[in-house]
């Protein structure tokens, strides 16, 4: 008997679920209070979506600017550092730091020679360091400083004085 009642209870629950889920079943509309709460929530979410859209647009603009700068940098590197007029320049310091031998020059108004160290191209098998040589065609006044860049970040070229 207990089994029969259990089977009957399961069948009754299944019937109720079927009737409730049927397309012709009774639908319950939200109350005015529930509708107002949903409306408020949709309004808040809509504002959040709009704010996120503004942020995404700003990030997209920033990304375009970063891509342009990266493309400019790649162009500069490939056309100024990786040409046959550029490359790595082997250097070393030659001369005596104490000033007994090395590169000789006479200071303006001095009566004797001055010996000092200097960096020079070192074509030996073991140079002290390498400098990045830049294609001379890349060194122009417009390439040295960008318009609007702070003065302390601008490079300047001065003619080297020979001693």
């Amino acid at each position: 008997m207990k089994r029969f009642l259990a089977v009957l209870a399961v069948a009754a629950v299944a019937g109720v679920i079927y009737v409730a889920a049927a397309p012709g079943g009774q639908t319950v509309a939200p109350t005015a209070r529930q509708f107002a709460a949903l409306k408020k929530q949709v309004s808040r979410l809509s504002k959040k979506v709009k704010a996120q859209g503004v942020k995404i647009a700003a990030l997209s603009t920033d990304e375009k600017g970063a891509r342009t700068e990266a493309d400019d940098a790649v162009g500069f590197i490939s056309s100024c550092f990786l040409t046959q007029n550029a490359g790595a320049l082997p250097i070393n310091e030659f001369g005596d730091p104490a000033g007994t031998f090395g590169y000789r020059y006479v200071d303006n108004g001095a009566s004797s020679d001055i010996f000092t160290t200097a960096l020079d191209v070192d074509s030996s098998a073991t140079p002290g360091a390498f400098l990045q040589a830049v294609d001379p065609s890349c060194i122009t006044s417009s390439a040295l400083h960008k318009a609007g860049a702070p003065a302390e970040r601008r490079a300047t070229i001065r003619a080297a004085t020979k001693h």
Side-chain angles (χ1 to χ4, degrees):
M1 182 75 160
K2 286 184 182 183
R3 281 188 184 166
F4 176 74
L5 289 176
V7 170
L8 186 62
V10 169
V13 169
V16 169
I17 291 174
Y18 174 77
V19 169
Q26 191 177 22
T27 59
V28 178
T31 64
R33 194 174 191 188
Q34 290 173 327
F35 185 77
L38 286 172
K39 190 175 177 183
K40 192 183 231 184
Q41 186 177 16
V42 167
S43 176
R44 261 186 311 200
L45 291 173
S46 179
K47 287 178 186 176
K48 284 183 179 181
V49 167
K50 285 180 186 177
Q52 293 300 322
V54 169
K55 288 179 182 179
I56 289 170
L59 288 172
S60 179
T61 301
D62 290 348
E63 179 189 13
K64 287 177 187 173
R67 280 187 183 175
T68 300
E69 285 189 33
D71 289 344
D72 290 348
V74 168
F76 181 78
I77 290 168
S78 64
S79 62
C80 295
F81 290 163
L82 305 176
T83 67
Q84 54 184 288
N85 294 328
L89 184 64
I91 60 161
N92 217 336
E93 183 177 21
F94 295 102
D96 177 23
T100 57
F101 68 91
Y103 291 91
R104 179 177 66 123
Y105 75 95
V106 177
D107 198 7
N108 191 14
S111 59
S112 63
D113 293 344
I114 298 172
F115 292 94
T116 187
T117 63
L119 291 179
D120 200 355
V121 175
D122 184 359
S123 57
S124 73
T126 56
F130 290 90
L131 293 179
Q132 175 64 52
V134 178
D135 188 329
S137 66
C138 292
I139 307 300
T140 64
S141 61
S142 63
L144 292 174
H145 52 76
K146 237 180 178 178
E152 64 272 7
R153 292 186 58 205
R154 292 183 185 168
T156 58
I157 291 184
R158 290 177 280 209
T161 56
K162 296 185 181 193
H163 298 284

